[in-house]
Amino acid sequence: MKSFKSNAWILPQPVLIIGTYDKEGKPNAMNAAWGGQWDMHEIIISLGSHQTTKNLAVNPEFTVAFATADTMVASDYVGIVSGRNTPDKMQKTGWSIEKAPNVNAPIFKDFPMTLECRVKQKIDESETGYYLIAEIVNILCDEKYLAKDGKPDVEKMELLIFDPVHHTYIQLGKTVGNAFSDGKQIK
């Protein structure tokens, strides 16, 4: 086996689009890869110092959308361009934006699924950022991405993951098994 030094190579990493409002109510979005489920009804996201963290200091509510093959270019754009320096950042994405029904944050309607969230805790807060723990208030899913059982169909969404090794985006593939079930074959 080849050995590598320590790197941020936990795989897969979701491509999360964080939506906030600034103090004037102007929507903003950023791309965050270092996040995941924290508890049954909570998520954690590692945030550096961004317009998003400034917005969250004023309003502790936000949305999290999952990037897709269709939203990839604009999703990457909101990760490389700061809302602090580019006033027309959101217009350039071409996304359809509206207010979330349960939190004071924007929803980007171009994404299949969005979490409505509220800040619960900030860990190790400093000038360079913090770890954000947030309560999932509600989950919204476009009906065209629902499976026959009425729940979100991840395969239909064409979600992306971030490959931190090669700095690429990879589209999630097909279902290959059943969790909490297939392992019973070994019993």
Side-chain angles (χ1 to χ4, degrees):
M1 271 195 213
K2 184 173 180 179
S3 180
F4 294 90
K5 66 180 176 124
S6 175
N7 281 292
W9 287 359
I10 291 290
L11 300 170
Q13 290 186 17
V15 180
L16 307 172
I17 305 303
I18 314 302
T20 59
Y21 286 131
D22 69 11
K23 62 185 176 186
E24 284 86 35
K26 182 178 175 183
N28 185 59
M30 73 166 280
N31 182 323
W34 293 359
Q37 199 75 36
W38 177 255
D39 203 344
M40 189 65 159
H41 302 283
E42 297 172 348
I43 60 172
I44 185 167
I45 303 169
S46 177
L47 292 173
S49 177
H50 299 282
Q51 180 64 46
T52 295
T53 49
K54 184 177 178 182
N55 293 351
L56 289 171
V58 176
N59 170 25
E61 297 182 331
F62 62 100
T63 56
V64 178
F66 300 91
T68 65
D70 288 342
T71 65
M72 182 187 67
V73 172
S75 293
D76 190 60
Y77 172 77
V78 300
I80 59 177
V81 173
S82 172
R84 291 177 178 165
N85 306 321
T86 309
D88 62 346
K89 173 181 175 178
M90 295 314 302
Q91 289 86 348
K92 287 185 176 186
T93 66
W95 293 340
S96 174
I97 304 169
E98 66 182 42
K99 186 185 177 309
N102 299 290
V103 296
N104 185 27
I107 289 180
F108 310 115
K109 294 192 62 160
D110 304 72
F111 294 81
M113 193 165 84
T114 302
L115 308 179
E116 295 178 277
C117 300
R118 186 171 295 123
V119 174
K120 203 168 170 190
Q121 182 180 2
K122 296 175 184 176
I123 301 173
D124 293 337
E125 188 170 7
S126 72
E127 292 178 5
T128 60
Y130 51 81
Y131 300 101
L132 174 70
I133 298 174
E135 167 193 11
I136 301 169
V137 174
N138 189 46
I139 300 172
L140 301 165
C141 187
D142 186 319
E143 291 185 16
K144 72 181 179 185
Y145 296 102
L146 298 180
K148 290 178 184 175
D149 65 1
K151 295 180 183 174
D153 186 326
V154 175
E155 283 186 48
K156 285 183 183 178
M157 293 182 196
E158 299 182 339
L159 297 176
L160 298 180
I161 59 169
F162 171 61
D163 172 359
V165 178
H166 298 103
H167 294 173
T168 59
Y169 296 113
I170 298 171
Q171 184 177 322
L172 288 179
K174 63 180 180 165
T175 299
V176 296
N178 297 295
F180 309 105
S181 176
D182 288 351
K184 294 175 183 175
Q185 298 172 42
I186 298 175
K187 281 189 169 184

